[in-house]
Amino acid sequence: MFYPLFETTFTCYRRIINKKLIFQADSEHLHSIIYKLVKKKFPEYKYSNSICFIFILPLVSLGPVILYNVHGNNKLCFLMIVIISILFFVVFNKFRKLKF
């Protein structure tokens, strides 16, 4: 549940910063951006969602694995959440800047 919750929070933040409605759909989610990139590189491949999952899997599993291992230390948990948030933001911006 880490990635969907984080993606939703990040999307709300991104829409507020860009002065867009929070509940309006867009295709600027990380998984949507990766999907467009995969479809452009491999238009004939019919399992594009599977390839997208390979890119998303490290972000999906990184949070729970790290937080499970530091669950007794609240300060370290908070620091890990901040680091994971920065990592997500960096990855999101790198993929968003790619030309489709």
Side-chain angles (χ1 to χ4, degrees):
M1 292 300 296
F2 184 81
Y3 175 75
L5 291 172
F6 189 82
E7 175 73 34
T8 302
T9 304
F10 180 72
T11 298
C12 291
Y13 168 76
R14 179 176 43 81
R15 290 178 183 170
I16 289 170
I17 295 297
N18 293 329
K19 297 183 179 10
K20 293 182 179 178
L21 296 174
I22 291 177
F23 300 107
Q24 185 175 2
D26 67 15
S27 61
E28 293 186 34
H29 298 278
L30 181 60
H31 56 274
S32 299
I33 293 169
I34 292 172
Y35 181 78
K36 285 186 239 178
L37 180 65
V38 169
K39 282 305 264 186
K40 181 180 180 186
K41 296 282 185 187
F42 308 102
E44 71 287 345
Y45 193 68
K46 62 181 178 179
Y47 300 108
S48 298
N49 280 331
S50 300
I51 293 175
C52 294
F53 183 71
I54 292 169
F55 286 101
I56 296 294
L57 184 61
L59 287 175
V60 171
S61 57
L62 183 64
V65 168
I66 290 173
L67 294 177
Y68 176 78
N69 289 313
V70 298
H71 69 278
N73 187 339
N74 290 340
K75 290 178 184 176
L76 193 54
C77 281
F78 180 75
L79 178 64
M80 290 296 115
I81 290 171
V82 169
I83 290 170
I84 292 167
S85 301
I86 292 169
L87 176 66
F88 180 86
F89 183 74
V90 168
V91 170
F92 176 81
N93 281 327
K94 294 271 186 203
F95 275 101
R96 189 174 66 173
K97 291 177 183 176
L98 295 174
K99 301 294 182 197
F100 297 106

